[in-house]
């Protein structure tokens, strides 16, 4: 069998509709946090049930501010590289290289490994494979979904659409059971004060919303991006906010506010109250599917960032080869999978690694959070910079209520950066260290960008 041909001059085709792009974004965002830990932690750090719901509404509003910033950038610069392209124009090749280096070694590959572990842990409950079962399932998920992406955009699009539809239907089932079937406990007041405070509650809300920014990476493959990217971003945030608010109302009605603060696994408790013991198994399946859909979406968007690096930097040119027949950056997908597989194995190499990283999924969160929020803050700042430096660029959409909207988004990212450094463990230092390691890599690779690269 002959290897598929790659063409360094080929470029992505615009094959994604608005629905397909929303499925990618929503599929990435809805993970295990909304079913297990997120609502519990938000309730624990708010003083009353109405403040808890306000936190979820506030999270949707802050993400909307970010989505408006991304809408301006993605419609003005609709390239496949997403955030990499914006940072390159606003801050230059050095910082944009560090971003894609961090994304390849810290942010996206760490997220893929973490989400694969969530899938593995839940699959191990359904079909145990021994003590290493979660790792085995995680590795299989990364390999299998990378293969689906290599097969091309048609296979990947339908895989993502089906997985996203399954998880949205699952969330809808929890909403129906919690609001209409399960007996009501009522939104009772808690026995004690909040654990830390509203600020930390917002951290957990925004973690639960995390991933909406991945819409930037579908801009290069969305049909009519100057019109449709705004629809993708706003449609995704609106759907996510509605689902999260309704599912929290379902939890609140079934468990009461004191019950929400009583421990995690809130979705399983809600389903068990409404449909019996098998509800817990249904939630395990739903979390596994949700994690799988998020892994697939992250593989798709992550490979586009690595592809953009390859088109701009000669030393990494092999990553910038697009396979036109399949419609995929095959080399970038393989390189991304290799890094994600290594990260998935790392916490399981022995007691020393387990002591340094602790739980594998938690380690990947610690590894990715500070670096992720640093660069998202810089993307927000790039709206100011590019409006000043490139005023002649056509902007089909401009952020409303500028500059207040952008300032809110930048402040949100700054607070999340501070929280990521303050509350995470050794993994945060590892992530920052890997980011800084990109500087000598940049210098050894010759620095700069290829002639003809977009500036």
């Amino acid at each position: 069998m002959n290897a598929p041909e790659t063409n360094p001059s080929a470029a992505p085709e615009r094959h994604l509709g608005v629905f397909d792009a929303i499925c990618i974004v929503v599929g990435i965002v809805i993970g295990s946090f909304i079913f297990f830990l997120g609502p519990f932690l938000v309730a624990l750090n708010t003083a009353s049930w109405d403040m808890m719901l306000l936190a979820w509404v506030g999270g949707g509003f802050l993400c909307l501010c970010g989505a408006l910033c991304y809408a301006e950038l993605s419609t003005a610069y609709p390239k496949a590289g997403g955030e990499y392209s914006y940072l390159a124009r606003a801050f230059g090749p050095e910082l944009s290289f560090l971003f894609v280096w961090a994304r390849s070694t810290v942010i996206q590959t760490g997220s893929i490994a973490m989400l694969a572990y969530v899938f593995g842990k839940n699959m191990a409950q359904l079909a145990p494979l021994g003590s290493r079962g979660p790792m085995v399932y995680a590795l299989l998920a990364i390999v299998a979904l990378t293969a689906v992406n290599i097969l091309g955009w048609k296979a990947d699009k339908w895989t993502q659409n089906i997985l996203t539809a399954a998880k949205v239907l699952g969330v809808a089932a929890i909403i129906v059971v919690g609001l209409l079937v399960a007996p009501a406990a009522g939104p009772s007041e808690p026995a004690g004060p909040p654990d830390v405070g509203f600020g930390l509650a917002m951290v957990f809300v925004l973690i639960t919303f995390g991933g909406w920014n991945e819409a930037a990476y579908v801009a290069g493959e969305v049909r009519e991006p100057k019109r449709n990217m705004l629809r993708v971003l706003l449609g995704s945030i609106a759907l996510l906010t509605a689902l999260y608010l309704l599912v929290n109302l379902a939890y609140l009605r079934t468990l009461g506010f004191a019950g929400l603060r009583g421990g995690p696994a809130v979705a399983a408790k809600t389903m068990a109250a409404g449909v019996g013991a098998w509800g817990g198994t249904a939630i395990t399946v739903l979390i596994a599917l949700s994690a799988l859909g998020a892994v697939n979406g992250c593989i798709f968007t992550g490979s586009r960032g690595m592809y953009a690096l390859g088109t701009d930097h000669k030393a990494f040119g092999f990553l910038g080869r697009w396979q036109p027949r399949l419609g995929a950056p095959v080399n970038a997908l393989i390189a991304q999978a290799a890094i994600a597989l290594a990260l998935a194995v790392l916490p399981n190499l022995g007691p020393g690694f387990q002591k340094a990283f602790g739980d594998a999924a938690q380690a990947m969160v610690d590894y990715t959070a500070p670096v992720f929020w640093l660069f998202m803050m810089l993307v927000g700042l790039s709206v100011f910079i590019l409006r000043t430096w490139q005023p002649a660029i056509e902007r089909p959409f401009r952020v409303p209520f500028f500059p207040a909207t952008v300032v809110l988004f930048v402040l949100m990212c700054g607070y999340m950066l501070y929280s990521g450094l303050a509350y995470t463990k050794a993994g945060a230092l590892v992530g920052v260290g890997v980011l800084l390691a990109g500087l000598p890599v940049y210098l050894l690779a010759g620095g700069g960008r290829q002639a003809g690269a977009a500036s």
Side-chain angles (χ1 to χ4, degrees), residues 98 101-102 106 371 429-441:
L98 283 180
W101 165 264
V106 178
V371 176
L429 298 177
V430 174
V432 173
V434 173
L435 168 64
L436 296 177
L439 286 171
V441 174

Side-chain angles (χ1 to χ4, degrees), residues 174-187:
I174 297 172
I175 293 168
V176 170
V177 169
L179 293 180
L180 301 177
V181 178

Side-chain angles (χ1 to χ4, degrees), residues 147-164:
V148 169
N149 277 263
I150 289 174
L151 287 175
W153 64 267
K154 289 184 179 179
D156 181 59
K157 181 177 77 170
W158 283 107
T159 299
Q160 188 64 37
N161 289 357
I162 291 169
L163 288 172
T164 299

Side-chain angles (χ1 to χ4, degrees), residues 110-308:
S111 296
I112 291 168
M114 180 270 290
L115 291 163
Y117 251 102
V118 172
F119 168 75
K121 282 188 170 185
N122 284 274
M123 282 301 299
Q125 294 180 40
L126 298 170
L129 293 177
S131 60
R132 295 293 177 89
M135 183 187 72
V136 172
Y137 280 119
L139 299 179
L140 288 174
I142 294 169
V143 170
L145 292 176
T146 298
V148 169
N149 277 263
I150 289 174
L151 287 175
W153 64 267
K154 289 184 179 179
D156 181 59
K157 181 177 77 170
W158 283 107
T159 299
Q160 188 64 37
N161 289 357
I162 291 169
L163 288 172
T164 299
K167 71 171 70 178
V168 169
L169 288 174
V171 174
I174 297 172
I175 293 168
V176 170
V177 169
L179 293 180
L180 301 177
V181 178
S188 58
E189 292 298 323
D195 191 43
V196 175
F198 192 78
L200 187 57
M202 289 304 301
V203 169
F204 296 123
V205 168
L206 292 172
I207 288 173
T208 313
F209 272 97
W212 60 265
N213 60 298
E214 295 299 306
Y217 293 89
V218 305
E221 293 167 74
V222 168
R223 293 191 291 267
E224 300 183 61
K226 293 185 177 182
R227 182 181 68 176
N228 287 336
M229 280 307 300
L230 178 63
R231 298 176 178 178
V232 170
L233 283 157
L234 298 188
S236 301
I237 297 297
L239 177 59
L240 288 165
T241 303
L243 288 174
Y244 283 177
L245 190 59
L246 287 171
V247 81
N248 274 279
L249 284 169
Y251 296 152
L252 186 64
R253 178 186 176 277
T254 303
L255 305 176
F257 189 55
L260 261 178
R261 299 179 91 223
V266 291
K269 293 176 184 177
T270 299
M271 290 295 287
V275 298
W278 71 268
T281 301
I283 292 300
T284 301
V285 173
L286 176 59
I287 293 175
L289 284 174
S290 296
L292 203 63
V295 171
N296 189 65
C298 286
I299 288 172
F300 178 93
T301 58
S303 64
R304 271 57 182 176
M306 296 181 77
Y307 161 78

Side-chain angles (χ1 to χ4, degrees), residues 11 31 58 66 70 101 104 120 164 166 168 326 337 339 345 365 385 396 453:
Y70 272 66
W101 165 264
S104 301
T164 299
V168 169
L326 298 178
I339 298 170
V345 170
V365 173
I385 295 170

